[in-house]
Amino acid sequence: MNTPMTSLGRTLETLSHREPDRVPAFLLLTMHGARELGLSMREYFTSPANVIEGQVRLRRKFGHDCYYAFCHASLEHEAFGGDTVYNEQGPANAGAPVLRSPEAIDSLEPPSIEGNPPLQRTLDIVRGLVEAAHGEVPVLGVVISPFSLPIMQLGFPAWLDLLHAALEEPAGARRAQLDRLLAINQSFCVRWANAQLAAGATAITYFDPMSSSTITTRELGVGFGMRLARQTIGQISGPVGIHFASGRILPILEDVVSTGAAVVGVSADEDLATLKARVGGRTSLLGNLNGIEMARWTPAEAKAAATRAILAAGPGGGFILADNHGEIPIQVKDEVLHAIVEAVRTAGAYPILASEAS
Amino acid sequence: MEDSLKLEEALLSMDRAEVGTILEGAVARGELDVAITGALESIGQRWDAGEVALSQVYMAGRLCEQAVTQFEPTPPTEGVAPRVGIAVLEDYHMLGKRIVLSVLRAAGRPVLDLGRLTVDELIDRVCAEQLEVVLVSVLMFPSALRVREVVDGLALRGSNAKVVVGGAPFRLDAELAGRVGAHHVGRTASDALRILAELEAR
């Protein structure tokens, strides 16, 4: 199997649990595009043409296997009327919560996609990347899960307060507000995901850190998060990957698999070989390089970490090498990124020698 | 010890009534601080080990803080050594600070809530308030890197304040706290209690 495949071809092959020519590498780069073009973060992310050019240049530079249409998580918060606070050294943050109290949920209306500037910019980015891809590169759209979006909409402490108040009084006003918020968010999430697919996105990444065992209990993560994920993903008209932004999932893995996601983004805190064995070919894995440590790696350390991951989860396909958070910090040097891609070209070429541990 | 074990389980199962009952008994025995500190420290260790979720750590702190206000007024922020302040540095993620505040207040530890501050603002406030310990909470990696500027800036201003850091970047990279010059790092909210006790003992 020495014929070079396209990035899209090898990605589809591995997601079918077959071994392509090599392990795909998804460098989930966002801010690096601004640096590549010499622009401020605000200038870069508020112009679809800049983001498209940035993604194209980054892939040309590093040779990885995807285009990433994600700008920042606060984009959906902006769509609901919030602000984005840009940071030249890191990811943009959501500004003040759009919902100042749970009572504000009573009058919350879901945003329209048409005429919504941040959403329309993203659709332009998707369309531009699809054109640049020429059918050879997967273009990844992103949505924030209905269960995780309230972290920005309400603020994290207020969201946890609302959840627990609703659980304490199932027939009370807080439960009604919770249900309304989740219903509005779910409806928006489905429409937004399908709009990106209609614009040509190959797949949707469904970000759901709130459901992870790192953040919340099994009762909430499965009872609310994974139930919502199953319902929401079931209404999305294309392939979906579910990602927990470094959150642990082993305690809820069967529920994660039951969502129907084609690929699961996994944490550096959990063992790849264990995850691979437990999913048993029912879904694929994406991960799990530690992006924070990556910022201080030498190229040799990067290659070693990538090689360990490849050996742990690569055999048999069903694995894409990536960072574990869904976004690589701007502090990660080019030489480290080159080393990661070099690792998939060498250690990641199939057939891979199975790890002694697996 | 027995109170703290029962309290721990009541907090993790969110049994508000049981929490109140246990703390009433602890107050009667003069062991309120021991019960709360023991329970929250154990929950923190279990969070570090991946046995409990962040939401449980947050709610445990909140329940304790709410229950304790029935027995004790809000702890004073002045007149007790060491003088401690807590802030979120540069980023906008307040949950970690909120959890630590709950833990400290529930345990009767005075702490000045500085809110969210930039590097320069934090240096100014630490000096103006003559703080001896500043607890710095961050979620974002670039914010964690800027702790170096806080440490260096305080030294330049002649402050001897100890900088204690906490937050996800420091959990994800065990070397990070040392690289940015922090004096101490807490992996859990309840580590703040242990670190403050160690600093007090010096």
Side-chain angles (χ1 to χ4, degrees):
Chain A
M1 180 93 71
N2 293 320
T3 307
M5 301 174 83
T6 66
S7 291
L8 180 61
R10 75 175 52 93
T11 300
L12 293 175
E13 192 75 357
T14 205
L15 294 182
S16 301
H17 304 281
R18 292 190 292 265
E19 295 183 346
D21 56 347
R22 60 164 174 79
V23 172
F26 280 12
L27 296 185
L28 300 177
L29 298 166
T30 55
M31 299 162 280
H32 285 73
R35 189 169 69 191
E36 198 67 23
L37 270 64
L39 298 171
S40 73
M41 295 296 173
R42 177 184 289 277
E43 282 177 298
Y44 178 72
F45 285 117
T46 53
S47 162
N50 288 338
V51 176
I52 294 162
E53 179 65 18
Q55 285 289 306
V56 169
R57 287 196 198 183
L58 289 169
R59 184 170 175 273
R60 189 182 303 138
K61 183 175 194 173
F62 297 113
H64 57 290
D65 291 302
C66 69
Y67 287 141
Y68 200 30
F70 177 67
C71 292
H72 37 76
S74 60
L75 183 122
E76 292 188 28
H77 184 243
E78 272 188 74
F80 274 84
D83 294 323
T84 289
V85 180
Y86 289 96
N87 180 343
E88 292 309 313
Q89 293 304 316
N93 280 193
V98 289
L99 298 171
R100 299 303 178 107
S101 70
E103 283 72 23
I105 296 169
D106 297 334
S107 56
L108 179 68
E109 293 296 331
S112 166
I113 293 172
E114 294 76 25
N116 191 303
L119 302 182
Q120 289 300 315
R121 286 200 303 270
T122 301
L123 293 178
D124 287 342
I125 291 169
V126 170
R127 283 188 280 263
L129 290 175
V130 169
E131 188 177 331
H134 300 296
E136 296 183 352
V137 186
V139 175
L140 307 178
V142 169
V143 296
I144 310 298
S145 81
F147 194 52
S148 295
L149 188 57
I151 295 173
M152 291 184 284
Q153 291 169 310
L154 277 165
F156 210 161
W159 173 222
L160 289 175
D161 289 340
L162 174 62
L163 266 174
H164 288 92
L167 286 178
E168 280 190 49
E169 291 186 41
R174 292 297 184 239
R175 182 61 197 244
Q177 286 157 352
L178 171 68
D179 289 342
R180 178 179 165 78
L181 179 60
L182 293 177
I184 287 172
N185 286 352
Q186 183 174 51
S187 166
F188 170 73
C189 185
V190 171
R191 285 189 294 114
W192 179 223
N194 287 334
Q196 293 178 73
L197 289 168
T202 313
I204 297 297
T205 310
Y206 179 92
F207 269 103
D208 197 11
M210 186 68 193
S211 294
S212 73
S213 302
T214 300
I215 301 297
T216 196
T217 61
R218 183 178 178 78
E219 178 188 14
L220 291 173
V222 172
F224 283 91
M226 291 297 96
R227 177 177 56 82
L228 280 162
R230 266 193 307 279
Q231 291 170 358
T232 308
I233 291 172
Q235 297 176 64
I236 295 174
S237 310
V240 176
I242 189 168
H243 204 298
F244 298 90
S246 312
R248 294 187 308 272
I249 57 165
L250 269 169
I252 61 167
L253 187 60
E254 288 304 309
D255 298 279
V256 173
V257 172
S258 78
T259 64
V263 60
V264 179
V266 296
S267 171
D269 278 350
E270 293 183 318
D271 181 68
L272 261 182
T274 300
L275 285 158
K276 187 85 186 290
R278 290 267 302 270
V279 300
R282 293 175 293 164
T283 189
S284 297
L285 301 183
L286 174 85
N288 69 342
L289 302 178
N290 185 326
I292 301 295
E293 289 188 354
M294 211 184 274
R296 60 168 169 83
W297 282 348
T298 63
E301 288 170 331
K303 188 175 178 185
T307 300
R308 280 194 298 273
I310 289 164
L311 293 178
F319 176 62
I320 299 170
L321 183 69
D323 74 287
N324 86 146
H325 195 70
E327 180 175 50
I328 294 177
I330 184 89
Q331 290 78 13
V332 175
K333 299 182 180 60
D334 285 3
E335 57 192 12
V336 168
L337 299 172
H338 281 299
I340 290 169
V341 177
E342 176 62 20
V344 296
R345 295 185 187 284
T346 53
Y350 284 102
I352 296 169
L353 293 174
S355 157
E356 289 181 358
S358 57
Chain B
M1 178 66 79
E2 193 180 317
D3 276 344
S4 69
L5 286 173
K6 288 192 292 188
L7 179 60
E8 179 182 342
E9 290 315 307
L11 289 169
L12 291 176
S13 54
M14 293 280 307
D15 189 338
R16 196 182 290 270
E18 182 65 5
V19 168
T21 301
I22 295 167
L23 291 183
E24 273 180 24
V27 166
R29 288 185 290 279
E31 294 175 349
L32 180 65
D33 288 354
V34 170
I36 289 176
T37 303
L40 294 180
E41 284 185 344
S42 179
I43 288 173
Q45 286 161 12
R46 290 173 69 178
W47 142 250
D48 197 26
E51 295 173 17
V52 304
L54 185 63
S55 63
Q56 290 176 290
V57 177
Y58 171 73
M59 291 308 298
R62 292 280 277 153
L63 283 178
C64 274
E65 189 184 6
Q66 289 163 4
V68 157
T69 57
Q70 300 173 47
F71 307 115
E72 292 181 352
T74 304
T77 56
E78 297 186 4
V80 179
R83 283 181 53 73
V84 181
I86 184 169
V88 169
L89 179 64
E90 294 285 341
D91 68 48
Y92 294 85
H93 299 87
M94 311 304 277
L95 183 67
K97 178 176 78 73
R98 192 70 195 85
I99 294 173
V100 174
L101 265 174
S102 288
V103 168
L104 293 178
R105 286 174 174 165
R109 278 279 185 184
V111 56
L112 185 62
D113 184 359
L114 303 173
R116 177 208 172 259
L117 296 173
T118 64
V119 168
D120 289 340
E121 288 169 345
L122 181 56
I123 293 168
D124 286 344
R125 285 296 300 274
V126 170
C127 294
E129 302 285 350
Q130 298 180 303
L131 297 177
E132 294 163 280
V133 180
V134 59
L135 307 174
V136 179
S137 173
V138 300
L139 181 69
M140 310 296 283
F141 183 51
S143 304
L145 292 175
R146 299 203 72 181
V147 169
R148 167 55 72 187
E149 295 172 58
V150 173
V151 172
D152 292 346
L154 288 173
L156 276 173
R157 295 271 291 265
S159 167
N160 292 317
K162 299 300 180 193
V163 176
V164 181
V165 296
F170 299 105
R171 290 179 53 83
L172 288 167
D173 185 354
E175 296 183 13
L176 184 58
R179 277 170 51 215
V180 299
H183 300 101
H184 298 274
V185 57
R187 287 182 58 82
T188 72
S190 53
D191 277 351
L193 292 171
R194 172 183 56 78
I195 292 167
L196 290 178
E198 287 171 3
L199 290 171
E200 205 173 67
R202 289 183 191 175

